Amino acid sequence: MKIAHATGIGRSAVRRVGVDARRRLDVGALAAAIARDRAADEEPFLVVGTAGTTGYGAIDPLPAIADLCAAEGLAFHVDAAWGGYALLSDRLRGFLRGIERADSITWDAHKTLPVPMGAGMFLARASRATAEAFHVSTSYVPDAVSGGVDLYQHSPQWSRRFIGLKVFLTLAELGAAGIADLVDRQTAVAALLRDELARAGWTIRSDTPLALVCFSHPELEPSRERVPRLLRGLEARGDAWLSEVRVPAGGSLLRACVTSHKTNEDDVRALARALDRELASLRR
Ligand SMILES: Cc1ncc(COP(=O)(O)O)c(C=O)c1O
């Protein structure tokens, strides 16, 4: 929405497309929205899919969206700001199949890797479109160096901060295998949390291979008040910080996202105990 506003396309040009039962973009609804806009003389040009939604970790059906974009002549962007880390792991990479067909991708290294904020990246195929959008010619800027893509001619910035250094140093120190190991460990810790919560009577409400768990409890559901109250109590004790996901139909869920490679099995068990304690205190 912000980008639509900033580029002048306008917020009203953005179409929200519905999701299926697994909270993944509904490709049938997307095709219908494109047809509806064309019939109204509007000009759809870009589809944004998400690989790992913030709330639930849902991964949109990227191959089907890529097919539709190819058939309709639309650009395809994948928001992999969080979930893009799956590409670093042999175990998870397959879940992002189709992302290689995107015209552009966003990925935030700081959301998973041990690098400070911010290390967000926008990756785009250098194309005629990026050249047309960003090409300028001045007397004081040297000609493009041959043998590479001149980012000055394919992106908004010329002088840029060296954000890549911290990402590069992390990769250089750990190597691809070391990074994959971190990612797999975070995912395994989230899977353990899922199991511990289910065993303790919590209801798992997300369906993602990524390091995130949305959950609730039958005792929390009758009232909209209880999830925020439980979260406030948990935070006040300084035990853990979880976020809240509001459900469109009403009410909310608890959301735990494992974002640090330092989170371990003991933390998971401590969190499960803390949650049980908070639930018990709501009964009083
Ligand atoms: C899926 C997704 N996209 C985009 C963003 C925003 O990223 P940034 O902080 O780099 O703007 C987030 C942040 O949580 C996210 O989870």
Side-chain angles (χ1 to χ4, degrees), residues 36 43 71 81 131 138 194 208:
R36 227 177 8 253
E43 267 189 66
T138 60
R194 220 170 275 139
T208 178

Side-chain angles (χ1 to χ4, degrees), residues 91-132:
R91 291 176 198 198
L92 294 174
R93 189 170 305 120
F95 291 106
L96 265 53
R97 199 169 57 80
I99 197 170
E100 71 286 352
R101 295 172 63 193
D103 295 291
S104 59
I105 298 173
T106 36
W107 179 53
D108 283 1
H110 59 262
K111 284 190 165 62
T112 308
L113 300 192
V115 295
M117 294 234 278
M121 297 174 209
F122 174 72
L123 310 169
R125 293 183 195 281
S127 65
R128 216 179 66 208
T130 51
E132 278 172 5

Side-chain angles (χ1 to χ4, degrees), residues 222-245:
S223 143
R224 288 177 182 220
E225 276 295 292
R226 289 192 190 164
V227 168
R229 258 177 65 202
L230 185 146
L231 288 173
R232 279 198 301 271
L234 196 65
E235 195 179 344
R237 284 177 205 251
D239 286 335
W241 185 83
L242 299 186
S243 52
E244 176 186 357
V245 173

Side-chain angles (χ1 to χ4, degrees), residues 142-166:
D143 286 342
V145 182
S146 63
V149 174
D150 182 354
L151 290 178
Y152 182 54
Q153 302 294 355
H154 286 273
S155 74
Q157 279 181 296
W158 187 29
S159 312
R160 39 186 90 221
R161 282 177 293 156
F162 199 176
I163 293 171
L165 179 62
K166 57 196 173 191

Side-chain angles (χ1 to χ4, degrees), residues 210-225:
L210 304 176
L212 179 154
V213 191
C214 282
F215 58 101
S216 186
H217 194 282
E219 291 180 34
L220 295 174
E221 284 178 14
S223 143
R224 288 177 182 220
E225 276 295 292

